[in-house]
């Protein structure tokens, strides 16, 4: 999809590729859809794609629930992203606003940011994922504010390999590794978080 338009109230399932793909300046409104059980990503926003994605259920896809790449800058609010075969949300060389989403029970990390990605993530729940709750690496930055990060199999938050995010006012508890792990050349600002 590389245009405008509204996708609302659809059941998008069992596709051989991605459930929804937005690229090349596409800027749709995607609301209250179920995007499930596909062989690729649930939602793929790339090549400077944008769009507003709100109140969608993204579940059971073979790869990432949401992948945002190569200059994309979407708005994602109040989506439920659960049980996908990769990361809940992956941001790679991209930006975007991610607010009040539920990223739970995914095979990878709740949210994975790499390669100079600069997202703003606030008010999200990152819980019960098989990897880290939040993983920021490879010179990524971005801000992560007031998220609930708990009950993940690995670290709550990992920052490494030149990443320099702002991590502020998050609640981080009950994870299988460390609450916050800054390692392997990780940088950034970690302030006023509540660590259980």
């Amino acid at each position: 999809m590389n245009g405008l338009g509204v996708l609302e109230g659809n059941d998008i399932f069992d596709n051989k590729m991605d459930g929804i793909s937005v690229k090349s300046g596409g800027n749709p409104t995607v609301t209250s859809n179920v995007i499930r059980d596909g062989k690729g990503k649930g939602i793929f926003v790339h090549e400077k794609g944008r769009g507003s994605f709100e109140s969608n259920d993204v579940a059971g896809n073979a790869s990432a629930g949401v992948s945002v790449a190569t200059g994309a800058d979407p708005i994602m609010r109040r989506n439920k992203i659960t049980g996908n075969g990769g990361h809940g949300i992956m941001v790679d060389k991209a930006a975007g606003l991610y607010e009040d989403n539920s990223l739970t029970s995914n095979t990878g990390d709740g949210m994975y940011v790499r390669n100079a990605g600069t997202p703003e993530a606030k008010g999200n729940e990152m819980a019960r994922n098989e990897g880290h709750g939040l993983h920021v690496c490879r010179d990524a930055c971005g801000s992560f504010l007031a998220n609930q990060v708990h009950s993940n199999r690995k670290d709550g938050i990992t920052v490494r390999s030149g990443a320099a995010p702002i991590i502020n006012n998050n609640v981080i508890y009950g994870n299988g590794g460390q609450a916050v792990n800054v390692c392997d050349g990780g940088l950034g600002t970690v302030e006023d978080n509540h660590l259980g």
Side-chain angles (χ1 to χ4, degrees):
M1 177 182 296
N2 59 3
L4 303 176
V6 176
L7 281 74
E8 183 173 4
N10 300 288
D11 190 2
I12 300 168
F13 65 96
D14 200 26
N15 292 286
K16 291 184 179 179
M17 296 181 70
D18 306 319
I20 295 175
S21 178
V22 177
K23 66 178 183 177
S24 302
N27 192 18
T29 299
V30 181
T31 305
S32 300
N33 300 283
V34 177
I35 305 157
R36 61 181 175 87
D37 301 325
K39 302 299 187 290
K41 306 168 187 72
I43 298 171
F44 188 24
V45 189
H46 57 123
E47 297 179 21
K48 300 183 180 179
R50 301 185 70 188
S52 176
F53 300 80
E54 186 168 328
S55 301
N56 300 287
D57 285 349
V58 184
N61 297 286
S63 185
V66 173
S67 180
V68 180
T70 53
D73 190 16
I75 297 170
M76 303 253 174
R77 287 194 174 104
R78 292 182 291 279
N79 299 289
K80 183 178 179 183
I81 302 167
T82 186
N84 297 286
H87 306 299
I89 294 176
M90 182 171 74
V91 180
D92 185 356
K93 298 180 183 176
L97 172 64
Y98 307 85
E99 187 172 19
D100 297 329
N101 300 288
S102 177
L103 315 175
T104 61
S105 303
N106 297 288
T107 299
D109 302 322
M111 187 170 193
Y112 178 56
V113 184
R114 68 180 184 184
N115 295 335
T118 57
E120 179 182 358
K122 56 186 179 180
N124 302 286
E125 181 185 28
M126 306 174 190
R128 297 180 298 281
N129 297 289
E130 291 297 309
H132 308 292
L134 169 64
H135 186 176
V136 188
C137 64
R138 300 184 192 174
D139 302 312
C141 295
S143 61
F144 303 88
L145 312 174
N147 300 288
Q148 297 274 335
V149 185
H150 66 90
S151 309
N152 298 285
R153 183 175 293 274
K154 296 183 179 179
D155 297 330
I157 298 176
T158 289
V159 179
R160 63 185 184 87
S161 55
I166 296 170
I167 297 172
N168 184 264
N169 199 32
N170 300 281
V171 178
I172 307 162
Y173 65 93
N175 298 286
Q178 300 179 56
V180 178
N181 183 13
V182 180
C183 61
D184 299 330
L187 303 166
T189 301
V190 181
E191 292 183 325
D192 299 324
N193 298 285
H194 304 277
L195 311 180

